[in-house]
Amino acid sequence: MTEADFLSGYDASAYEHPSVTVDLVLLGIREGRPAVLLQPREEEPFPGRWALPGGFVGIAESLDDAAQRVLHDKARLDDAHLEQLYTFGAVDRDPRTRVITVAWLALLDERAFAAALVANPALRPVAIQADWTGETGGPITALGPGGAAIDLAFDHGQILAMALLRLRGKIDYSDVGFALLPDLFTLRQLQDVHEAIGGTAFNKPAFRRRMLDRGWLAPTGLREQGTSFRPAELYRFQRAGRPNTRSLHPLIG
């Protein structure tokens, strides 16, 4: 039997087909804490709860294309540090039907985070404690006046906890933290990112010496503008031994 003969008689309806979605963890640093962009749900299931931006994967759409589409449609962004995080497939994770979701991590610098909020008013910034484990009632609060605690839909608490766990595991020895910084940044900004993700304070001289010794920082000869104190020097990220162009280390490897 040829492949064409086999396919012509193949009955795809003989097997059940679960639905597949992608969910995006749009993560940045706000007010010295990890923060994500969520959407309050207005419809069933879980009305009144908050959810990650996401969508169903089209039958002729790759996972990468679906993630890029959701990034564009929900955050109005065409470019971000976007990569696959983990696949969540608990049988009862979605009460509508059998749904498997592939979570993606999108790291946003301050400008991209703010731009997404302006472009899509449905998104809300939500702060998360760096050591949050995703348990019900965990320290997750809406940013802004009041800072009320919120409830999450589906298993999105587990997804957020996984995203933070991965970042904490990589931030100290990989260059992933640079995705949360602008192209030009100060050593103070770099330390702020590491402290926000790690949930701990670092000794300033020791931290700066460690970062400089890794060969990732290229001085630009420029200094920050508009400060009321002595302006700090601006640096650019570079891979050790490579030209001074911005590059991002894969988070999952």
Side-chain angles (χ1 to χ4, degrees), residues 7 19 24 48 59 69 85 143 158 237 250 252:
L7 292 176
S19 297
L24 268 55
I59 194 66
R69 172 176 54 79
L85 175 66
L143 288 170
Q158 296 177 33
F237 169 68
I252 307 301

Side-chain angles (χ1 to χ4, degrees), residues 48-235:
R49 296 193 182 188
W50 296 50
L52 296 166
F56 285 87
V57 178
I59 194 66
E61 189 177 37
S62 72
L63 291 174
D64 293 60
D65 288 344
Q68 289 287 351
R69 172 176 54 79
V70 171
L71 179 69
H72 178 269
D73 292 349
K74 300 295 179 69
R76 311 295 193 264
L77 296 174
D78 293 318
D79 185 35
H81 177 86
L82 182 65
E83 57 188 72
Q84 197 172 129
L85 175 66
Y86 197 77
T87 301
F88 294 81
V91 173
D92 59 351
R93 63 172 304 276
D94 191 319
R96 293 171 294 188
T97 185
R98 179 77 167 95
V99 179
I100 297 169
T101 194
V102 181
W104 293 73
L105 183 61
L107 298 181
L108 309 179
D109 62 24
E110 185 175 355
R111 180 180 298 180
F113 198 98
L117 284 172
V118 171
N120 184 1
L123 294 174
R124 310 284 180 83
V126 175
I128 308 174
Q129 205 162 287
D131 60 354
W132 189 47
T133 62
E135 296 296 327
T136 301
I140 176 168
T141 56
L143 288 170
I150 64 172
D151 293 320
L152 294 171
F154 305 102
D155 54 357
H156 290 184
Q158 296 177 33
I159 296 175
L160 288 176
M162 174 66 75
L164 289 170
L165 180 65
R166 293 289 188 178
L167 277 176
R168 288 200 306 271
K170 294 277 189 176
I171 190 73
D172 188 53
Y173 70 86
S174 80
D175 54 31
V176 68
F178 293 100
L180 296 165
L181 289 164
D183 288 338
L184 301 182
F185 53 86
T186 66
L187 293 179
R188 183 186 66 254
Q189 289 175 302
L190 178 60
Q191 184 169 341
D192 287 345
V193 165
H194 279 248
E195 289 181 343
I197 297 300
T200 186
F202 296 104
N203 175 272
K204 184 167 77 171
F207 175 83
R208 295 186 175 192
R209 183 167 57 251
R210 186 168 76 249
M211 292 295 108
L212 290 168
D213 287 347
R214 289 177 177 174
W216 290 342
L217 302 177
T220 64
L222 303 173
R223 292 189 175 273
E224 60 182 340
Q225 302 293 318
T227 63
S228 58
F229 44 85
R230 183 182 178 184
E233 184 174 5
L234 293 170
Y235 290 81

